Structure formats: structure tokens, C-alpha cells
Amino acid sequence: FFYVNPLEQNPEAFRFNRWATQRQEWFGCACCPPNVARLLASIGKYAYSQGPGEIVAHLYAASRASFDIAGRTVRLEQATDYPWSGNVSIRLDVDGPAEFALALRLPGWCRRPAVRVNGRAVRLPAVTRRGYARISRTWKAGDIVELSLPMPVERVEAHPAVRSDAGKIALQRGPLVYCLEEADNGPNLADLRLPPASELTVIPGPAELDGAPVITGPALRRDLTPWAGKLYATDRPAYVACQMTAIPYFLWANRAPGEMTVWITE
């Protein structure tokens, strides 16, 4: 467990901070961890909701749900490995043809969502309102709705008024923010630079992180050899090529203790 979610962690520098630098097994006053149990018990209500003549899908996760629409039973089966990919398939089972609207949330981070019903593309601008694609039709058993949410790796900048993040970027893929950890990139993460032209690639992560997709790409570090015995220098620093690996932020601190940062010098 963590009670705080820092965007940067240096165990040596934070030794005297009252916040933990590693995950805690439990707390003497455990007022927040039980919320995990509450969340799991309530997640069905967060995933779907129902209104007059309408079923709304808010969250994307492998699931089954059943609804009563105008006296007919409507069952949905959702198949996806979201958030690792943006492909979502929803199969409908209806007790006879039924007319209603199926509304799908289109996440704000996705620039080019696409929806197909039984293989035919839906014109999203015509049916999208307040972030949801509302598809009204007469549904039959076996109808399949496919939602595609492309997940390119994106560089995120903070407003210039956020002084600590000036000249830095964060990496985002789909709904997930990524971070650097010392376990993958070595110490002194503040000195690692990710050039704007670096091509970033998504690959399966290590087994100790259950293979969750990680982001890799060429980066740079300063050559520390000329700095021996120096605090300042006037010569331009020499840079050494290295490989950067970023992991989903929520997975950090599951391996050896070490540094972590979300904001990367560019």
C-alpha cells in the first residue's frame, strides 16, 4: 500500500521525509486500504448503468451484465484486455428483437476512436454526445459491437507555470501514465535525457511485472568521467547513448527499492 502517490522518488534524499519510500504491508490505522474491498464490491455499478431505453457502458473490462429493457432481458458480454490494448468487443444476447440505445464512453485521451456494429462502421460525430457514442437501433441476439481505442505513446507537457516540470515530459499510453525506475534505468534518473526525436516502442515487460507493456527508446546520459573531482565545468558535456525503459506508474515499487520519476528531462 501507499498513502501518497509521489511523481518522483529518491530514497536517499527522502530518508527524513515522513512518507514511506517503499510499499507498506499494512498500517496501524488502516482507514484507506479497506476501500479496495469497497471498490471491488461496487465495480459492477461503475461499469454499467441503465436509463429509460438505454444501456450505458462506462468502463471497459472483461465482464457479463444483464438488463431489463421494456420487458425484455438483454445480456452483454464484454471481451477485452484493456487497458493494455484498446480493442473492446461487446456481444449482445436479447430475448427477441428489442429497440434501445447502447451508449459507449469515448475516453478523452483517445483522439481517433472507432465503432463497428456487426462489421459496419458507425459515424461517430453523428451519434456522440457528452463523451458517449449513443447507438440506437433494434438489437438482435448475436449482434456484436466493436470499439477501437488507438493507444499511441504520447509525450505530455505541463503548463509553463509548473516550474518543476519545465523542460520535461511525461509518457502516456492510453489511460496509463508511465514512469522510470532505477531497476530498469540505473541511478540518477534526473540526468537521463529523452531526445524529442527518440522513437518509442511498446514491448512486453518483465515477468516480475506480469508482462505488462513497457515503453522503450534511445536516451542519453552525461559521461561522468570528466567530472571527477569537479563541481562545475565550462566545457560542454559529452553524452553517452543508453536505452530507456518506462513502466506503468501504478506498478512502481514492486521490485528493488530505488529511484523513480514520472517527469523526464527532454
Side-chain angles (χ1 to χ4, degrees):
F1 297 95
F2 266 131
Y3 262 111
V4 294
N5 292 285
L7 300 184
E8 183 177 0
Q9 182 71 281
N10 184 339
E12 183 61 25
F14 294 173
R15 274 190 305 154
F16 305 106
N17 193 310
R18 65 185 180 90
W19 295 316
T21 59
Q22 299 181 42
R23 293 182 182 267
Q24 305 298 295
E25 291 185 7
W26 197 245
F27 297 95
C29 179
C31 53
C32 285
N35 283 328
V36 175
R38 296 189 184 100
L39 170 65
L40 294 177
S42 304
I43 200 166
K45 296 178 181 178
Y46 297 150
Y48 301 98
S49 63
Q50 179 179 350
E54 182 178 61
I55 297 173
V56 185
H58 304 287
L59 303 180
Y60 299 116
S63 56
R64 295 187 182 94
S66 181
F67 306 87
D68 186 344
I69 299 289
R72 294 193 182 279
T73 299
V74 179
R75 290 173 289 273
L76 303 184
E77 182 172 355
Q78 186 182 150
T80 182
D81 63 350
Y82 184 92
W84 307 128
S85 87
N87 298 320
V88 180
S89 176
I90 300 176
R91 181 183 179 88
L92 287 83
D93 185 12
V94 189
D95 291 344
E99 185 176 352
F100 60 90
L102 176 62
L104 306 175
R105 183 175 67 88
L106 303 179
W109 55 260
C110 185
R111 301 175 189 272
R112 293 183 176 86
V115 176
R116 293 180 177 273
V117 177
N118 297 331
R120 298 188 62 179
V122 175
R123 293 185 63 253
L124 290 181
V127 298
T128 300
R129 294 198 302 272
R130 299 178 65 184
Y132 285 77
R134 193 173 187 274
I135 306 167
S136 298
R137 68 193 303 270
T138 300
W139 299 91
K140 305 183 300 297
D143 283 343
I144 295 178
V145 180
E146 296 170 293
L147 172 63
S148 174
L149 303 171
M151 292 183 174
V153 176
E154 296 193 292
R155 297 176 181 230
V156 181
E157 291 189 34
H159 189 282
V162 185
R163 292 170 177 260
S164 297
D165 297 333
K168 299 182 178 183
I169 55 96
L171 297 177
Q172 176 179 327
R173 179 177 181 263
L176 299 181
V177 171
Y178 279 65
C179 71
L180 304 183
E181 266 201 303
E182 183 176 340
D184 304 300
N185 302 282
N188 196 16
L189 297 179
D191 196 47
L192 187 145
R193 293 173 180 267
L194 182 61
S198 289
E199 184 175 344
L200 301 176
T201 305
V202 178
I203 63 172
E208 54 197 339
L209 297 180
D210 286 339
V214 300
I215 299 171
T216 66
L220 298 171
R221 283 183 178 276
R222 281 183 289 188
D223 180 8
L224 299 182
T225 305
W227 289 92
K230 294 182 181 179
L231 182 59
Y232 304 102
T234 54
D235 297 331
R236 295 298 300 167
Y239 285 89
V240 178
C242 64
Q243 193 73 4
M244 175 221 71
T245 299
I247 69 168
Y249 172 73
F250 79 90
L251 283 173
W252 84 277
N254 276 292
R255 296 176 289 177
E259 292 184 45
M260 179 278 298
T261 187
V262 168
W263 292 98
I264 308 166
T265 302
E266 196 180 44

